[in-house]
Amino acid sequence: MFKNLDAEQARHSYTNQRMADMVGISRVSYENKKKNGKFTALEAKKMCKIFKVKFDYLFATDEDEAR
């Protein structure tokens, strides 16, 4: 759903388990949230800090780019 999140995760060689651990949720929850886009504000903020990027970049969707 979020191609930039996928790209940053791959660029840093972070597994889904590692990301889940850093965010403070289970791997299964992390993978489900990547699919459905339902990260909490705190989880999203943590990921922005991990990758040192802005929210709008990290969570951009194909829909956002069509506008």
Side-chain angles (χ1 to χ4, degrees), residues 2-5 7-8 11 51-61:
F2 304 116
K3 67 179 186 175
N4 293 339
L5 173 56
E8 290 297 326
R11 187 172 297 127
F51 296 120
K52 299 180 177 85
V53 297
K54 294 190 183 273
F55 177 90
D56 291 345
Y57 164 75
L58 195 59
F59 295 98
T61 63

Side-chain angles (χ1 to χ4, degrees), residues 14-31:
Y14 290 160
T15 63
N16 284 346
Q17 182 64 61
R18 176 117 188 254
M19 285 298 302
D21 291 343
M22 288 190 285
V23 174
I25 58 178
S26 73
R27 179 190 53 79
V28 172
S29 291
Y30 178 75
E31 290 172 356

Side-chain angles (χ1 to χ4, degrees), residues 28-41:
V28 172
S29 291
Y30 178 75
E31 290 172 356
N32 286 333
K33 290 178 181 211
K34 273 180 72 174
K35 288 178 192 168
N36 66 27
K38 296 191 178 191
F39 288 104
T40 67

